[in-house]
Structures are given as C-alpha cells and as structure tokens.
Amino acid sequence: MDSNKPDARKRLVGYVLENKWRFLTGAVLGAIFTGLEYRALTLLKPFFNLAGASGGHHALGVWADVVKITLFYMAIQIPKGLAFYFQFYAISSATNRIATTIRNDIYRHLHRMSLTYFERQRIGHLMSRMTNDVGLIQNGASSVIDFLTAPMMVIAGLVQMFIISWRLAIICVVFVPVIGWVIGKITRKMRNLTTTLQLALADVAAVFEETIAGVRIVKSFGMEGHEVRRFRDFNGRSLRAAQKAARRNAAVTPVTELFGSLAVVAIILVGGWQVVHHQLDFGSFAVFGGIGFYVSSNAKKIGRLSVTYHQTMSGVERIFEILDQEPDMPDAPDALELGQIEGLVEFRDVSFSYSTGEEVLSKLSFVIEPGKSVAIVGPSGAGKSTIANIIPRFYEVTGGAVLVDGHDVREVTTASLRRHMAIVPQETILFSGTLRDNIAYGRPDASDEEIVAAAKAANAHDFVTAFEDGYQTIIGERGARLSGGERQRISIARAILKDPRILILDEATSSLDATSERLVQQALDKLMQGRSTLVIAHRLSTITKVDEIIVLARGEIVERGDFKTLLAKDGVFARLYRSQYDVQAVAATAGASSSETALEES
C-alpha cells in the first residue's frame, strides 16, 4: 500500500469511532458481566469446603447457608444474562452498522468511477469485495466483544488468583507470554493466506457472474461441460486456499490447549500440595480452579483474536484498494454548473486514443445545431460508438475539444452535463422492478399522467396495459418478460420522460425485426422532434430524415451531407446504401457485414 495513504488500521478505527457509544456500552456491560461471573463463582466457596470436609456431621449446621448461597447464585444469573444480552446486541448493532456503512461507501465510490475503470475490472471481483471482504471486516468487528471482555476476564481472574494464592497465580502468569509467543508464530502468515483465499473466492464469483449472465451463449455453443469444469477448477483453487488457511487456524487451539494443560498440571500439583499441608483450604483451591478455567478460556479467545485481526486486515486492505482508486475523469475544481442549454454540440478537431495507443478518431470536426439531427455511419471500428461516448464524457478526448453551448465538457460538472442528455442504446438496459419504475428511472418523482403520456409517445402504452398489472407489472431481471422491441420502447419512454435537450441514439433499432423496428422508429421520430440528436446508424433506411449524415472510415470523415445529396453524389454513401439495399432484398440478416465491406472497399 502507498506509504502516502493513511494507515488502514487508522481508517478502520474511523468507522469504529462512528459507533463509539455502542462499543462503550458493550464495554461497560462486559465489565458488569465479568464482575458478576466471578462473584457467582466465589459464592460457591463454602459449598466446596463442605464437599471437601472429611465428615458429614457439619452438613446440617451449614445447610441453611448453602441454600441461601445457591439462591443468591441463581439470582445473579438474571442480571448476568441481561448484561450479556444487551452487550451482545450493542456490539452486533455496531458491527452491522460498520458493514453497512462500508458497503455504502464502496457503492457510492464505484459510481464516481468512469467507464474505463469498469472495463478493467471483473464484476465478480467487485462483488466479492462487497460480500466476502466486508464479511471479514464485520466478523473482525464482531470480535470486539471478545476484545472487550476477554482481557477483563483475564485481568480480574488473575487478581482473584493472587488474592487466593500468589504461588499458584505466578504459575499462570509464567505461561501467558509463552502462549502469546507461540500464537504469534502460528498466526504470522494468516493475513497472506487470507488474502490468497479472498482472491480465489473473487475468481469463483467472477466466473459465476460471467457465465450466468452469458448463459444463452454458453448453451447455444454447447459449452455447459466446459464451463462446469472451469468453475470446478477455480472452486478447487479456493478450496485449497481455504484448507491451507484452515490448517494454520486450526493449530491455534491445540497448541494453546497443550500449554494450558501444562499450566493446569502445575497448578494441581502445587495446589494439591498446599491443600494437603493445610496451607490452602479446599474451597479456595476449588474456586481458584474455577477462576483458572475462565482465565484459560478467555486467554484462548485473546489468542484467536490474533487470527481474526490478520483476517480482518486482509479484508480492510482489499476494501481500501477500491476506495483509494481515484476517478480518472474528475470534475475540475472550478467546474461550472451547466444550466439551461439550447443543445448546440460541437466537435473541434477531436482525436481519441484508447490506452493501447491506437487512434480511433483523428481531428474530427462537426456541429449539431440546436434541434437538428446528425447521423454517423461507418463500419465497425470506425469510431461511431466512441463519438456517442465522448459527448456525455464517458471517455476523455485525447486531442481537441467537445463543446456544449460553447462550454468545453471538461469545464462543466459531469452531473449537470448529463442532466441534459438521454441515451437510447442498442442493448436496452432495464432494471428489475415494475414497468413504471423503469419508465420513471430518470425522473422518479414523475406523475402517473406524465409516465402514461411518455409511454403513449413511445408506442408502449398498449402492450403495457395488456399486462394484468399494467404499469405495476414486475418485468424480471433485465426485463426478461419483455421482447426486444418492447424493451426498446420502454427505453424510449424513459428518454421522453426525461425531456433532454441532447439525444443520443446508438444503433437503437439494429437488433429488431421489421415490425418492432417500425414501431420503435415511429417512437424515435417523436422523441427526436425539437432535440439535438446524434444517431449512430447501422440500417441506412432509418436515417432518411436526418439533417446531416457523416460517413466515417478509420476515424476520419470521408463524406457528409443530407440523404438525397449523398445518394445523388454517387460516392461512398451511395455505394454503401445500394449494397445494403440489394443484400437486404436477398437476406436482411446479411446486411451488416456486406455494408461494412462495401464501405471499407470504398
């Protein structure tokens, strides 16, 4: 970890301090519990003495006292139980809040990151951080209950032991540093082992997420067996990592038990000798043994805290790896808030290269006048979708500038820029929930009348009301209950309801059949009215009405003009159009590849 970054432990303490009163409440209740625990044990001393007496003629004389002691002993159990209950609840409440806060921080931070960040990440790995690593932190925070009570139990017990017999107490004290040293040796590698395990679990989550999301492709290629074997391999790695960590973890208890047993043997021998020689009464020796049991069990908890600490810090470091990632396209410190706009979009000598260094756009210049439409056509790899991603500043230009109403998009806040835009992509993204929720996604406060009006404008109202629950219909994950055309029309309704000044249509009809395309195109024509629109087009028949068509090849403009002008010019666009039209007449599904070939040859 970068030495300039705050220490992970201090940052974790920051989360703990947000819940300091809950932890302090747990500490106070832990002290009460400890005091009552030992008080209950010392009350039994007379009973132990009676049990150790050589004759039985004293029994009747002390029976009344024994009854009182046992009743008092039972009475102590009630406040002791309540102290434990509320202590446990206070600590659990604190740790659950810490885990919730960290998850919220991660999720909020991820939404600050650019698209390029998610292109470099595997979603399964991010999911693992949110679940497995936060779980480690929550488990570590839960151990605070042992961190608070176990040392108190040990210290209070040792004090009681010294009061009863300093000789026996010294034996316990001698073994404590030895046990601590041994535990330290065993747990030294736990953090690295835990990190290895978490990485393996992240790989398992990534494979699971990828294959379930792409289950159609898996099944269509008959790759179920391959994916099962691949998942089994990754799962096997996580098993081996877990077993290695488990072996190291499992060694803690038997080693502490061994040294603890040596201490018990020494105490029995020395204490027994004292009882035999009347230097210690049997009741005191029995109470000492009971206290020793508590001290031993809590000493083991302290030993296991070392394991938990290293596991927790492994999770903490992986969590802060995410939180320490800075957005690569942050708002400028003096960024302007973009108010009402006309919708003028201008590309001035725009160049763009991906991280590989390959130039996708080269000195591109064009203007979308307010309320006008511009279509971009060209083969795959020409830079069409890159243009669509640059306007809302999903990607940063590497040369030139993109301006909206005369403002460089790098000089305005990203949120205010995107507030004036809507995108209708080729692959419609809907969220689990109702049809109403998805239409109102950009405007959750929209009225029912506004939502219905948007749906009607998008040619979606009829199929929505055909469902039994209408706008309250649950559409399933990613809109699984809807057809492609229906999903696209919901996406258009969402854009209509947002009422943007700038509209981006990224091949919005290319994956639809003829009937769906007609309905969607009608909705798009309504949506485009009065808005500055960029159309990324594959089917050239859908852009006959746009104000200007720009033909791209290898990131450069090779032709521009309106539909009729370009056809009359009989240049690249005309040959591309004729090629696509002829191929569609034979087989519509072959249109895409033939169009791209014709343009590349031109």
Side-chain angles (χ1 to χ4, degrees), residues 576 579-580 583 590-599:
L576 173 63
S579 173
Q580 188 175 93
V583 173
S593 60
S594 298
S595 301
E596 292 175 5
T597 301
L599 180 57

Side-chain angles (χ1 to χ4, degrees), residues 41-334:
L41 188 60
T42 55
L43 282 172
L44 297 180
K45 178 181 175 181
F47 183 79
F48 288 138
N49 278 328
L50 176 65
S54 56
H57 60 280
H58 297 292
L60 293 177
V62 299
W63 180 249
D65 290 334
V66 169
V67 171
K68 291 178 183 178
I69 290 168
T70 53
L71 290 174
F72 192 33
Y73 176 82
M74 290 303 301
I76 287 177
Q77 304 307 310
I78 296 174
K80 191 180 79 169
L82 289 173
F84 179 84
Y85 173 83
F86 287 109
Q87 178 207 34
F88 187 89
Y89 179 78
I91 300 299
S92 296
S93 175
T95 57
N96 289 333
R97 289 171 184 271
I98 288 172
T100 300
T101 300
I102 291 175
R103 281 193 291 265
N104 286 339
D105 287 349
I106 295 172
Y107 193 72
R108 181 172 58 250
H109 185 75
L110 287 175
H111 278 286
R112 294 177 57 220
M113 308 305 287
S114 66
L115 287 182
T116 54
Y117 173 81
F118 294 99
E119 290 167 358
R120 296 192 302 265
Q121 300 292 327
R122 299 180 74 181
I123 301 303
H125 280 201
L126 296 177
M127 291 170 59
S128 178
R129 304 275 177 113
M130 288 282 280
T131 53
N132 296 330
D133 290 326
V134 173
L136 282 177
I137 295 174
Q138 186 171 7
N139 180 62
S142 298
S143 68
V144 170
I145 193 169
D146 290 333
F147 178 79
L148 294 174
T149 58
M152 285 191 291
M153 292 288 284
V154 171
I155 293 171
L158 288 174
V159 170
Q160 291 285 330
M161 286 175 161
F162 270 101
I163 293 173
I164 294 172
S165 172
W166 63 268
R167 293 183 178 86
L168 296 180
I170 286 177
I171 296 174
C172 294
V173 172
V174 167
F175 276 91
V176 168
V178 176
I179 293 175
W181 179 82
V182 172
I183 290 174
K185 292 285 288 184
I186 295 174
T187 60
R188 185 174 299 169
K189 295 183 179 180
M190 279 306 299
R191 187 179 304 188
N192 289 337
L193 291 174
T194 302
T195 298
T196 301
L197 174 58
Q198 294 303 100
L199 289 172
L201 290 173
D203 286 336
V204 170
V207 172
F208 181 83
E209 189 274 335
E210 289 171 354
T211 52
I212 295 301
V215 67
R216 285 181 180 272
I217 299 300
V218 174
K219 289 185 175 296
S220 66
F221 281 86
M223 294 297 285
E224 294 93 337
H226 168 76
E227 293 301 341
V228 168
R229 289 190 296 274
R230 191 162 73 103
F231 182 84
R232 186 170 59 237
D233 290 342
F234 279 102
N235 212 19
R237 294 177 196 175
S238 72
L239 173 62
R240 290 189 290 275
Q243 288 176 322
K244 194 170 183 178
R247 285 195 296 270
R248 178 74 56 158
N249 196 355
V252 174
T253 296
V255 169
T256 53
E257 290 280 1
L258 173 62
F259 283 92
S261 297
L262 293 175
V264 169
V265 169
I267 289 170
I268 290 174
L269 291 175
V270 175
W273 186 89
Q274 286 183 309
V275 170
V276 170
H277 290 81
H278 306 292
Q279 295 177 0
L280 185 70
D281 61 74
F282 183 78
S284 296
F285 180 56
V287 170
F288 187 97
I291 294 173
F293 172 78
Y294 284 120
V295 169
S296 174
S297 61
N298 282 279
K300 292 177 196 174
K301 290 180 181 178
I302 294 174
R304 298 204 66 80
L305 285 175
S306 177
V307 176
T308 304
Y309 169 77
H310 288 295
Q311 291 175 334
T312 302
M313 292 312 299
S314 172
V316 167
E317 289 168 357
R318 281 167 52 79
I319 289 297
F320 285 125
E321 281 180 8
I322 292 180
L323 296 179
D324 287 338
Q325 292 281 340
E326 292 295 334
D328 50 14
M329 291 193 300
D331 287 340
D334 56 348

